[in-house]
């Protein structure tokens, strides 16, 4: 009996599907790049505007409100922006001594501190903070308190913009006014009113050092418990003639 020829079975058109997948991937990547570029441009424009306009809020402020809403916990925000000349020189100096000793010497990144942090991490399995005040300001304004490679990369590209368009005085002014100083407490004026019942212009060296000492962990620390670290800050201020 002769063999009956089998009908041709159509094979999946894999060759036509591959270009569709490639085209979709390229389109996705293109729009992703465009979206990232637009977000970066918006952040850069916000920094330019911040040269003249005081920030009404920050990413950290918004983050804390959302956390309180999600956890159904009370939240009362204290935030008052004041000019730098209404913040005592002692408090300005204490914060610089505590957070960024080379603030007036670097251009946004303290490479010496970064090197020390890297060596500490590699040799003693310990991480030492090396963020400058400019880096912390950018993080506060746009990224909140989260940590990620993406955040670090985006922050690194915005720090030079902040240094260029704002300048040291304005960077310090904004930072001192928006930084978190406790639960719902933002800025020097609110911190001084809350902890010492006086205005930021009236804070002296001792109390300024104690306030600066809580900045690395403002939700856990209290000024009256920071004897050791505040003494170190005062010593750094003395070394710089402040």
């Amino acid at each position: 009996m002769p063999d009956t020829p089998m009908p041709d079975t159509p094979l999946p058109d894999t060759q036509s599907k591959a270009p569709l997948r490639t085209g979709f991937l390229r389109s996705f990547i293109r729009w992703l790049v465009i979206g990232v570029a637009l977000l970066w441009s918006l952040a850069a424009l916000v920094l330019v505007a911040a040269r003249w306009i005081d920030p009404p809020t920050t990413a950290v402020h918004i983050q804390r409100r959302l956390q309180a809403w999600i956890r159904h916990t009370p939240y009362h925000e204290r935030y008052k922006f004041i000019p730098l000349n209404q913040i005592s020189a002692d408090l300005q100096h204490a914060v610089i001594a505590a957070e960024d000793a080379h603030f007036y010497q670097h251009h946004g990144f303290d490479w010496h501190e970064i090197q020390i942090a890297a060596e500490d991490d590699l040799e003693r399995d310990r991480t030492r903070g090396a963020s400058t005040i400019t880096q912390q300001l950018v993080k506060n304004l746009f990224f909140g308190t989260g940590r990620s490679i993406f955040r670090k990369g985006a922050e690194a590209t915005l720090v030079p913009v902040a240094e260029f368009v704002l300048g040291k005085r304005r960077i310090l002014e904004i930072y001192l006014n928006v930084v978190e100083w406790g639960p719902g407490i933002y800025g020097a004026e609110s911190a001084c009113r809350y902890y010492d019942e006086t205005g930021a212009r009236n804070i002296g060296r001792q109390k300024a050092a104690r306030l600066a000492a809580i900045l690395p962990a403002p939700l856990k620390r209290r000024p009256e418990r920071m004897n050791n670290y505040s003494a170190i800050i005062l010593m750094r201020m003395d070394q710089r003639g402040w």
Side-chain angles (χ1 to χ4, degrees), residues 1-229:
M1 183 174 179
D3 294 337
T4 304
M6 298 296 293
D8 293 337
T9 302
L11 297 174
D13 190 4
T14 56
Q15 292 182 348
S16 62
K17 290 182 179 179
L20 288 176
R21 287 196 296 266
T22 303
F24 173 79
L25 183 60
R26 288 176 178 173
S27 179
F28 174 77
I29 293 174
R30 181 170 64 251
W31 284 108
L32 179 63
V33 171
I34 292 173
V36 170
L38 288 174
L39 287 174
W40 186 92
S41 299
L42 179 61
L45 287 174
V46 169
L47 287 174
V48 173
R51 183 168 182 172
W52 302 279
I53 302 172
D54 301 333
T57 189
T58 71
V60 173
H61 299 190
I62 296 170
Q63 175 186 339
R64 297 308 187 203
R65 288 192 212 108
L66 287 174
Q67 288 173 341
W69 179 73
I70 292 170
R71 297 167 184 168
H72 303 285
T73 55
Y75 179 79
H76 174 64
E77 183 173 297
R78 298 173 177 86
Y79 175 46
K80 182 180 180 181
F81 201 106
I82 60 174
L84 189 62
N85 59 17
Q86 292 184 22
I87 301 174
S88 78
D90 286 327
L91 184 53
Q92 295 180 40
H93 294 155
V95 170
I96 292 172
E99 297 285 282
D100 186 1
H102 304 110
F103 175 66
Y104 289 111
Q105 284 76 48
H106 63 65
H107 299 287
F109 302 98
D110 191 335
W111 300 111
H112 178 66
E113 288 297 326
I114 290 173
Q115 181 181 2
I116 292 174
E119 290 173 353
D120 286 348
D121 192 32
L122 289 172
E123 296 176 7
R124 294 188 288 274
D125 195 26
R126 178 173 59 88
T127 301
R128 173 178 172 176
S131 293
T132 63
I133 284 176
T134 311
Q135 288 176 272
Q136 293 180 57
L137 175 61
V138 169
K139 182 183 74 171
N140 270 268
L141 288 175
F142 302 114
F143 304 109
T145 61
R147 296 182 179 182
S148 68
I149 295 177
F150 168 77
R151 192 267 290 175
K152 276 291 185 183
E155 173 191 299
T157 64
L158 288 169
V159 164
V161 179
E163 286 277 333
F164 179 74
V165 302
L166 297 177
K168 293 295 186 182
R169 180 178 174 82
R170 182 60 171 165
I171 288 171
L172 183 61
E173 181 176 62
I174 297 176
Y175 178 75
L176 288 173
N177 275 286
V178 304
V179 69
E180 187 176 37
W181 242 301
I185 304 167
Y186 304 101
E189 182 70 9
S190 298
C192 292
R193 295 287 179 186
Y194 181 80
Y195 292 113
D196 296 300
E197 298 182 347
T198 188
R201 66 165 72 236
N202 301 320
I203 290 294
R205 286 171 57 83
Q206 298 288 337
K207 291 182 177 180
R210 290 179 180 274
L211 284 173
I214 70 174
L215 285 178
L219 300 184
K220 299 178 180 179
R221 297 180 179 181
R222 298 281 299 185
E224 63 271 15
R225 300 173 185 169
M226 302 307 298
N227 293 335
N228 293 336
Y229 189 31

